[in-house]
Amino acid sequence: MFRTAFRQLCRPNLRPYSTLSHPEVEALNKWISTPREKVLSDAFHLERLSDLYITLPTRDGSRQPYLPPKETSPLGYAHHIAFFHARTPEAELREDGTDADFSPPEPFTRRMWAGGKMVWDPEVPLMIGQRATATWGIDSVKKKVDDPQKIPMVFVNQRIDITMSGNTRPSLTEERNHVYFAVNSSVPPKRDPREVKDIPTKSDFSFTYKPTLATLFRYSALMFNAHSVHLDLANTQKEGYPERLVHGPLTATMLLETAIFHHPGVQIASFEYRAHNPILVNRESTIHGIWINNTSIKLWCVDEDGVVGMSGIVQLL
């Protein structure tokens, strides 16, 4: 049933095989040429980290004794995602609940988290209990809007530098890659899940868990994220998905968490990942990991049918 449903996952409600109107092209070009930057300050306080820990199956006490976060300890890898959220009034959100600050103009209103990269500086670590500043900007934009045989889309690469208070050198530099599709009410094309090459046939370690509706609700709350594809079944099905989707950054975090769960002493220098296929709620996910060499680990997530949802590479210090 779900494999059949996966054929309906890609590009629902899009404007297939059409080009943009002249006003839409002008609006997009103006948006691309306009510099954008946002600076947010936050503290890595224990309460929110405790909420994150109890949400992650690697830390919630179900697989190993629960260890609460401790002040003055280094922040966990990718745990910064639970912080630095824009407090946008609901009236200014897009129809699907997403924030429009770094989103291209209409008709590019359907967003997908495509991947990203995180690079840590071990000499100036992010510390629990202390304040930091995140400086957001757009690093690059790539548009594919001129081919009448392809669906118009825009690739937006955000760059985020996170710096501890009192420092000038970022502790973490992150890239977040989103793709935005042009939307209308046309019938979505069907396809099989995307085949992912270079996935090993065996792994050195793994971690299986099931993201439930409670998981998605808690993670959405932690991220202050109202994107309807994670919460509202009717809207999710309107976009062409059979069920609500697991957050891309949650799966990315679980890739890192699995490596640390099995190898708690590792020190990570960088992590680069890519989303391949949607991951659905209430379906078992298994994170696999294999050592490429002494300083590199390949990680990937598969669902119950073996469909690869995400993969990534960790580089160690």
Side-chain angles (χ1 to χ4, degrees):
M1 177 183 70
F2 277 97
R3 184 169 288 277
T4 300
F6 256 118
R7 296 173 183 171
Q8 303 176 15
L9 289 182
C10 186
R11 306 180 182 90
N13 297 331
L14 299 179
R15 183 189 304 221
Y17 313 115
S18 66
T19 55
L20 302 179
S21 68
H22 181 67
E24 289 171 340
V25 172
E26 284 192 333
L28 177 60
N29 289 336
K30 181 179 179 181
W31 180 84
I32 292 173
S33 64
T34 303
R36 281 172 172 76
E37 183 178 274
K38 178 169 58 180
V39 179
L40 299 172
S41 180
D42 210 338
F44 300 121
H45 51 78
L46 294 175
E47 291 79 9
R48 190 179 300 170
L49 282 171
S50 297
D51 291 341
L52 176 63
Y53 280 25
I54 212 68
T55 302
L56 298 174
T58 46
R59 294 180 182 260
D60 65 0
S62 61
R63 312 294 181 93
Q64 60 184 10
Y66 175 76
L67 298 175
K70 296 181 179 180
E71 284 200 24
T72 71
S73 297
L75 187 71
Y77 295 108
H79 292 185
H80 68 282
I81 295 177
F83 299 87
F84 308 110
H85 304 139
R87 290 171 174 84
T88 304
E90 182 177 342
E92 297 178 16
L93 296 176
R94 287 188 159 179
E95 185 178 354
D96 63 357
T98 57
D99 195 306
D101 278 358
F102 290 93
S103 301
E106 293 184 356
F108 297 97
T109 56
R110 182 186 170 220
R111 185 185 77 182
M112 293 180 65
W113 191 299
K117 184 176 182 180
M118 305 175 196
V119 180
W120 290 269
D121 186 338
E123 296 186 8
V124 283
L126 301 173
M127 301 298 292
I128 296 174
Q130 298 185 22
R131 297 195 66 83
T133 298
T135 303
W136 302 58
I138 293 180
D139 199 38
S140 64
V141 178
K142 183 179 181 181
K143 58 181 181 178
K144 293 185 177 180
V145 300
D146 298 323
D147 188 343
Q149 299 303 313
K150 294 183 179 179
I151 299 166
M153 61 186 74
V154 177
F155 300 85
V156 179
N157 181 26
Q158 296 181 32
R159 177 188 173 99
I160 308 165
D161 290 324
I162 302 180
T163 307
M164 294 297 297
S165 294
N167 291 345
T168 57
R169 178 172 160 184
S171 299
L172 168 65
T173 296
E174 181 184 4
E175 296 176 9
R176 294 184 186 177
N177 312 134
H178 293 93
V179 57
Y180 294 84
F181 297 98
V183 177
N184 70 358
S185 59
S186 58
V187 178
K190 298 180 180 181
R191 70 165 177 86
D192 290 318
R194 182 181 294 110
E195 182 180 354
V196 183
K197 298 180 179 180
D198 301 322
I199 296 297
T201 57
K202 62 178 183 179
S203 59
D204 294 326
F205 55 88
S206 65
F207 188 95
T208 299
Y209 64 104
K210 181 185 287 188
T212 65
L213 288 175
T215 309
L216 270 56
F217 176 83
R218 286 179 162 188
Y219 195 75
S220 290
L222 281 165
M223 294 191 68
F224 206 55
N225 178 4
H227 196 180
S228 61
V229 295
H230 308 303
L231 303 169
D232 189 310
L233 180 60
N235 281 337
T236 304
Q237 291 177 337
K238 183 179 177 181
E239 289 200 13
Y241 301 103
E243 250 300 356
R244 283 147 287 200
L245 306 185
V246 178
H247 308 70
L250 174 56
T251 303
T253 301
M254 283 301 300
L255 293 179
L256 289 170
E257 284 286 305
T258 296
I260 295 163
F261 182 87
H262 288 281
H263 304 283
V266 296
Q267 291 184 292
I268 297 176
S270 67
F271 172 54
E272 190 165 6
Y273 64 97
R274 181 181 177 186
H276 303 289
N277 290 290
I279 299 174
L280 304 180
V281 70
N282 291 328
R283 302 260 291 159
E284 278 195 351
S285 291
T286 299
I287 308 288
H288 293 277
I290 190 169
W291 288 88
I292 301 173
N293 52 48
N294 291 337
T295 58
S296 302
I297 304 173
K298 185 177 182 69
L299 300 159
W300 66 100
C301 178
V302 299
D303 72 358
E304 296 172 359
D305 290 329
V307 175
V308 179
M310 183 176 286
S311 64
I313 298 288
V314 164
Q315 298 291 344
L316 305 180
L317 293 173

